Short mmCIF file of all heavy atoms in Angstrom, two decimals:
data_model
loop_
_atom_site.label_atom_id
_atom_site.label_comp_id
_atom_site.label_asym_id
_atom_site.label_seq_id
_atom_site.Cartn_x
_atom_site.Cartn_y
_atom_site.Cartn_z
N ASP Q 81 23.78 90.79 183.28
CA ASP Q 81 23.30 90.93 181.89
C ASP Q 81 23.17 92.40 181.54
O ASP Q 81 23.50 92.82 180.46
CB ASP Q 81 21.99 90.22 181.69
CG ASP Q 81 22.06 88.68 181.79
OD1 ASP Q 81 23.19 88.19 181.65
OD2 ASP Q 81 20.99 88.03 181.93
N THR Q 82 22.66 93.21 182.48
CA THR Q 82 22.45 94.60 182.26
C THR Q 82 23.77 95.32 182.14
O THR Q 82 23.98 96.17 181.24
CB THR Q 82 21.60 95.27 183.37
OG1 THR Q 82 20.37 94.53 183.42
CG2 THR Q 82 21.27 96.69 183.05
N LEU Q 83 24.73 94.96 182.99
CA LEU Q 83 26.04 95.60 182.95
C LEU Q 83 26.75 95.33 181.60
O LEU Q 83 27.43 96.22 181.08
CB LEU Q 83 26.92 95.12 184.08
CG LEU Q 83 26.59 95.65 185.49
CD1 LEU Q 83 27.49 95.03 186.53
CD2 LEU Q 83 26.68 97.14 185.51
N ALA Q 84 26.55 94.17 181.05
CA ALA Q 84 27.15 93.85 179.78
C ALA Q 84 26.58 94.74 178.63
O ALA Q 84 27.27 94.97 177.63
CB ALA Q 84 26.88 92.37 179.43
N LEU Q 85 25.38 95.27 178.78
CA LEU Q 85 24.74 96.05 177.76
C LEU Q 85 25.10 97.51 177.85
O LEU Q 85 24.98 98.23 176.91
CB LEU Q 85 23.20 95.91 177.82
CG LEU Q 85 22.67 94.51 177.59
CD1 LEU Q 85 21.17 94.50 177.82
CD2 LEU Q 85 22.96 94.02 176.16
N LEU Q 86 25.55 97.98 179.05
CA LEU Q 86 25.88 99.36 179.22
C LEU Q 86 27.27 99.68 178.66
O LEU Q 86 28.21 98.93 178.82
CB LEU Q 86 25.80 99.68 180.73
CG LEU Q 86 24.47 99.51 181.40
CD1 LEU Q 86 24.55 99.85 182.83
CD2 LEU Q 86 23.42 100.49 180.71
N ALA Q 87 27.36 100.84 178.04
CA ALA Q 87 28.56 101.20 177.29
C ALA Q 87 29.68 101.76 178.18
O ALA Q 87 30.88 101.43 177.93
CB ALA Q 87 28.21 102.15 176.20
N THR Q 88 29.38 102.65 179.05
CA THR Q 88 30.43 103.36 179.79
C THR Q 88 30.46 102.94 181.26
O THR Q 88 29.44 102.45 181.79
CB THR Q 88 30.20 104.88 179.71
OG1 THR Q 88 29.03 105.20 180.37
CG2 THR Q 88 30.16 105.36 178.27
N ASP Q 89 31.62 103.22 181.88
CA ASP Q 89 31.73 102.95 183.31
C ASP Q 89 30.83 103.79 184.15
O ASP Q 89 30.32 103.35 185.15
CB ASP Q 89 33.19 103.18 183.70
CG ASP Q 89 34.20 102.12 183.25
OD1 ASP Q 89 33.68 101.04 182.92
OD2 ASP Q 89 35.36 102.34 183.23
N LYS Q 90 30.59 105.01 183.70
CA LYS Q 90 29.66 105.94 184.40
C LYS Q 90 28.24 105.37 184.43
O LYS Q 90 27.60 105.40 185.49
CB LYS Q 90 29.70 107.28 183.75
CG LYS Q 90 29.00 108.38 184.51
CD LYS Q 90 29.18 109.72 183.92
CE LYS Q 90 28.51 110.81 184.75
NZ LYS Q 90 28.72 112.15 184.23
N GLU Q 91 27.77 104.80 183.28
CA GLU Q 91 26.46 104.24 183.26
C GLU Q 91 26.39 103.04 184.13
O GLU Q 91 25.40 102.74 184.85
CB GLU Q 91 26.12 103.79 181.81
CG GLU Q 91 25.82 104.97 180.86
CD GLU Q 91 25.65 104.48 179.42
OE1 GLU Q 91 26.12 103.40 179.05
OE2 GLU Q 91 24.85 105.16 178.67
N ARG Q 92 27.43 102.19 184.13
CA ARG Q 92 27.50 101.00 184.92
C ARG Q 92 27.40 101.36 186.43
O ARG Q 92 26.66 100.79 187.19
CB ARG Q 92 28.72 100.18 184.71
CG ARG Q 92 28.74 99.47 183.38
CD ARG Q 92 30.03 98.61 183.21
NE ARG Q 92 30.12 98.16 181.83
CZ ARG Q 92 30.99 98.69 180.95
NH1 ARG Q 92 31.82 99.63 181.32
NH2 ARG Q 92 31.01 98.27 179.71
N GLU Q 93 28.17 102.36 186.84
CA GLU Q 93 28.20 102.74 188.20
C GLU Q 93 26.87 103.36 188.67
O GLU Q 93 26.42 103.04 189.76
CB GLU Q 93 29.32 103.81 188.45
CG GLU Q 93 29.57 104.06 189.90
CD GLU Q 93 30.80 105.00 190.16
OE1 GLU Q 93 31.74 104.93 189.31
OE2 GLU Q 93 30.74 105.68 191.12
N ALA Q 94 26.25 104.17 187.80
CA ALA Q 94 24.96 104.68 188.10
C ALA Q 94 23.87 103.56 188.26
O ALA Q 94 23.05 103.60 189.16
CB ALA Q 94 24.52 105.68 187.00
N PHE Q 95 23.96 102.63 187.35
CA PHE Q 95 23.00 101.47 187.42
C PHE Q 95 23.21 100.72 188.70
O PHE Q 95 22.26 100.35 189.39
CB PHE Q 95 23.20 100.52 186.21
CG PHE Q 95 22.43 99.27 186.34
CD1 PHE Q 95 21.09 99.19 186.17
CD2 PHE Q 95 23.12 98.04 186.63
CE1 PHE Q 95 20.37 98.02 186.35
CE2 PHE Q 95 22.47 96.87 186.80
CZ PHE Q 95 21.12 96.85 186.64
N LEU Q 96 24.46 100.41 189.08
CA LEU Q 96 24.74 99.67 190.29
C LEU Q 96 24.30 100.45 191.53
O LEU Q 96 23.75 99.79 192.47
CB LEU Q 96 26.26 99.35 190.42
CG LEU Q 96 26.80 98.25 189.51
CD1 LEU Q 96 28.33 98.11 189.64
CD2 LEU Q 96 26.16 96.90 189.87
N ASN Q 97 24.49 101.73 191.55
CA ASN Q 97 24.02 102.52 192.70
C ASN Q 97 22.49 102.51 192.79
O ASN Q 97 21.95 102.34 193.94
CB ASN Q 97 24.52 103.93 192.61
CG ASN Q 97 26.05 104.05 192.91
OD1 ASN Q 97 26.58 103.20 193.61
ND2 ASN Q 97 26.65 105.04 192.31
N ARG Q 98 21.80 102.62 191.69
CA ARG Q 98 20.32 102.56 191.65
C ARG Q 98 19.86 101.17 192.16
O ARG Q 98 18.93 101.08 192.97
CB ARG Q 98 19.76 102.82 190.28
CG ARG Q 98 19.54 104.27 189.96
CD ARG Q 98 18.72 104.42 188.65
NE ARG Q 98 18.93 103.51 187.61
CZ ARG Q 98 19.84 103.68 186.65
NH1 ARG Q 98 20.62 104.78 186.57
NH2 ARG Q 98 20.02 102.76 185.66
N LYS Q 99 20.50 100.13 191.61
CA LYS Q 99 20.08 98.80 191.95
C LYS Q 99 20.37 98.48 193.44
O LYS Q 99 19.53 97.88 194.16
CB LYS Q 99 20.82 97.74 191.06
CG LYS Q 99 20.24 96.37 191.10
CD LYS Q 99 18.90 96.36 190.55
CE LYS Q 99 18.33 94.99 190.55
NZ LYS Q 99 16.94 94.91 190.19
N GLU Q 100 21.48 98.94 193.97
CA GLU Q 100 21.80 98.73 195.33
C GLU Q 100 20.79 99.44 196.27
O GLU Q 100 20.27 98.83 197.18
CB GLU Q 100 23.21 99.30 195.66
CG GLU Q 100 23.65 99.13 197.08
CD GLU Q 100 25.03 99.67 197.35
OE1 GLU Q 100 25.54 100.53 196.57
OE2 GLU Q 100 25.59 99.35 198.37
N LYS Q 101 20.45 100.67 195.95
CA LYS Q 101 19.44 101.42 196.71
C LYS Q 101 18.09 100.68 196.69
O LYS Q 101 17.38 100.55 197.66
CB LYS Q 101 19.27 102.86 196.23
CG LYS Q 101 20.46 103.73 196.61
CD LYS Q 101 20.26 105.14 196.07
CE LYS Q 101 21.53 105.99 196.45
NZ LYS Q 101 21.44 107.29 195.85
N GLU Q 102 17.70 100.19 195.46
CA GLU Q 102 16.43 99.52 195.31
C GLU Q 102 16.38 98.23 196.15
O GLU Q 102 15.42 97.96 196.82
CB GLU Q 102 16.25 99.22 193.79
CG GLU Q 102 15.05 98.30 193.50
CD GLU Q 102 15.10 97.77 192.08
OE1 GLU Q 102 15.57 98.48 191.19
OE2 GLU Q 102 14.71 96.56 191.89
N LEU Q 103 17.45 97.48 196.08
CA LEU Q 103 17.51 96.18 196.86
C LEU Q 103 17.60 96.43 198.39
O LEU Q 103 16.97 95.74 199.14
CB LEU Q 103 18.69 95.36 196.42
CG LEU Q 103 18.58 94.80 194.97
CD1 LEU Q 103 19.89 94.09 194.57
CD2 LEU Q 103 17.42 93.88 194.84
N PHE Q 104 18.37 97.51 198.76
CA PHE Q 104 18.37 97.79 200.19
C PHE Q 104 17.03 98.20 200.67
O PHE Q 104 16.57 97.79 201.73
CB PHE Q 104 19.39 98.92 200.48
CG PHE Q 104 20.74 98.44 200.89
CD1 PHE Q 104 21.78 98.30 200.00
CD2 PHE Q 104 20.96 98.04 202.23
CE1 PHE Q 104 23.02 97.80 200.40
CE2 PHE Q 104 22.17 97.57 202.59
CZ PHE Q 104 23.20 97.47 201.70
N LYS Q 105 16.30 99.06 199.94
CA LYS Q 105 14.99 99.50 200.30
C LYS Q 105 14.02 98.31 200.43
O LYS Q 105 13.18 98.28 201.33
CB LYS Q 105 14.47 100.52 199.29
CG LYS Q 105 13.17 101.16 199.65
CD LYS Q 105 12.72 102.19 198.62
CE LYS Q 105 11.45 102.82 198.97
NZ LYS Q 105 10.97 103.79 198.00
N LYS Q 106 14.12 97.40 199.50
CA LYS Q 106 13.25 96.27 199.44
C LYS Q 106 13.47 95.18 200.57
O LYS Q 106 12.55 94.65 201.08
CB LYS Q 106 13.25 95.65 198.04
CG LYS Q 106 12.18 94.81 197.67
CD LYS Q 106 12.15 94.43 196.18
CE LYS Q 106 11.03 93.64 195.77
NZ LYS Q 106 11.05 93.29 194.33
N TYR Q 107 14.76 94.88 200.76
CA TYR Q 107 15.13 93.73 201.60
C TYR Q 107 15.89 94.03 202.86
O TYR Q 107 16.12 93.10 203.66
CB TYR Q 107 15.91 92.67 200.74
CG TYR Q 107 15.16 92.24 199.55
CD1 TYR Q 107 15.53 92.59 198.29
CD2 TYR Q 107 14.08 91.40 199.76
CE1 TYR Q 107 14.85 92.20 197.16
CE2 TYR Q 107 13.37 90.98 198.63
CZ TYR Q 107 13.72 91.39 197.33
OH TYR Q 107 13.05 90.94 196.27
N GLU Q 108 16.27 95.25 203.07
CA GLU Q 108 17.10 95.58 204.23
C GLU Q 108 16.44 95.19 205.55
O GLU Q 108 17.06 94.55 206.40
CB GLU Q 108 17.44 97.08 204.21
CG GLU Q 108 18.32 97.44 205.38
CD GLU Q 108 18.69 98.97 205.35
OE1 GLU Q 108 17.97 99.74 204.79
OE2 GLU Q 108 19.75 99.31 205.93
N TYR Q 109 15.19 95.48 205.74
CA TYR Q 109 14.45 95.18 206.96
C TYR Q 109 14.57 93.66 207.27
O TYR Q 109 14.85 93.29 208.37
CB TYR Q 109 13.01 95.67 206.91
CG TYR Q 109 12.26 95.39 208.13
CD1 TYR Q 109 12.36 96.12 209.29
CD2 TYR Q 109 11.38 94.26 208.20
CE1 TYR Q 109 11.66 95.85 210.42
CE2 TYR Q 109 10.71 93.93 209.37
CZ TYR Q 109 10.84 94.71 210.47
OH TYR Q 109 10.18 94.40 211.63
N ASN Q 110 14.19 92.90 206.23
CA ASN Q 110 14.16 91.45 206.45
C ASN Q 110 15.55 90.89 206.70
O ASN Q 110 15.72 90.00 207.56
CB ASN Q 110 13.53 90.76 205.23
CG ASN Q 110 12.07 91.05 205.07
OD1 ASN Q 110 11.39 91.32 206.03
ND2 ASN Q 110 11.57 91.07 203.85
N LEU Q 111 16.50 91.35 205.99
CA LEU Q 111 17.88 90.87 206.17
C LEU Q 111 18.45 91.25 207.55
O LEU Q 111 19.25 90.50 208.08
CB LEU Q 111 18.77 91.26 205.01
CG LEU Q 111 18.44 90.64 203.64
CD1 LEU Q 111 19.29 91.18 202.55
CD2 LEU Q 111 18.57 89.12 203.72
N LYS Q 112 18.13 92.44 207.99
CA LYS Q 112 18.64 92.87 209.25
C LYS Q 112 18.06 92.05 210.41
O LYS Q 112 18.68 91.97 211.47
CB LYS Q 112 18.31 94.37 209.49
CG LYS Q 112 19.26 95.31 208.89
CD LYS Q 112 18.96 96.71 209.32
CE LYS Q 112 20.02 97.65 208.81
NZ LYS Q 112 19.75 99.05 209.24
N HIS Q 113 16.93 91.40 210.16
CA HIS Q 113 16.28 90.66 211.23
C HIS Q 113 16.64 89.15 211.13
O HIS Q 113 16.01 88.33 211.87
CB HIS Q 113 14.75 90.87 211.20
CG HIS Q 113 14.40 92.23 211.77
ND1 HIS Q 113 14.41 93.32 210.96
CD2 HIS Q 113 14.07 92.60 212.98
CE1 HIS Q 113 14.06 94.34 211.73
NE2 HIS Q 113 13.89 93.96 212.98
N LEU Q 114 17.57 88.77 210.29
CA LEU Q 114 18.07 87.44 210.31
C LEU Q 114 18.96 87.28 211.52
O LEU Q 114 19.65 88.19 211.93
CB LEU Q 114 18.91 87.08 209.07
CG LEU Q 114 18.17 87.05 207.72
CD1 LEU Q 114 19.13 86.81 206.58
CD2 LEU Q 114 17.07 85.96 207.75
N THR Q 115 18.95 86.06 212.07
CA THR Q 115 19.88 85.80 213.23
C THR Q 115 21.29 85.61 212.68
O THR Q 115 21.50 85.45 211.44
CB THR Q 115 19.48 84.52 213.98
OG1 THR Q 115 19.60 83.41 213.08
CG2 THR Q 115 18.04 84.64 214.50
N ILE Q 116 22.27 85.59 213.53
CA ILE Q 116 23.64 85.39 213.16
C ILE Q 116 23.79 83.98 212.42
O ILE Q 116 24.47 83.88 211.39
CB ILE Q 116 24.64 85.52 214.29
CG1 ILE Q 116 24.62 86.96 214.73
CG2 ILE Q 116 26.04 85.07 213.95
CD1 ILE Q 116 25.41 87.25 216.03
N THR Q 117 23.15 83.00 212.95
CA THR Q 117 23.19 81.67 212.32
C THR Q 117 22.59 81.64 210.98
O THR Q 117 23.11 81.07 210.04
CB THR Q 117 22.44 80.64 213.28
OG1 THR Q 117 23.05 80.68 214.54
CG2 THR Q 117 22.54 79.27 212.69
N GLN Q 118 21.44 82.35 210.85
CA GLN Q 118 20.84 82.40 209.54
C GLN Q 118 21.70 83.16 208.53
O GLN Q 118 21.77 82.81 207.37
CB GLN Q 118 19.44 83.06 209.63
CG GLN Q 118 18.40 82.25 210.35
CD GLN Q 118 17.21 83.03 210.75
OE1 GLN Q 118 17.11 84.27 210.68
NE2 GLN Q 118 16.22 82.32 211.25
N GLY Q 119 22.40 84.22 209.03
CA GLY Q 119 23.33 84.97 208.18
C GLY Q 119 24.46 84.08 207.67
O GLY Q 119 24.86 84.16 206.57
#
Side-chain angles (χ1 to χ4, degrees):
D81 291 345
T82 305
L83 287 176
L85 298 174
L86 298 175
T88 65
D89 286 340
K90 190 174 183 177
E91 289 176 332
R92 287 185 194 104
E93 191 172 331
F95 170 74
L96 283 175
N97 288 334
R98 273 193 322 272
K99 193 65 177 172
E100 181 180 17
K101 285 179 186 176
E102 173 192 324
L103 292 174
F104 265 98
K105 185 177 179 182
K106 197 171 184 180
Y107 300 108
E108 182 179 24
Y109 178 81
N110 293 331
L111 292 174
K112 277 187 173 181
H113 287 85
L114 291 178
T115 65
I116 291 173
T117 303
Q118 291 166 351

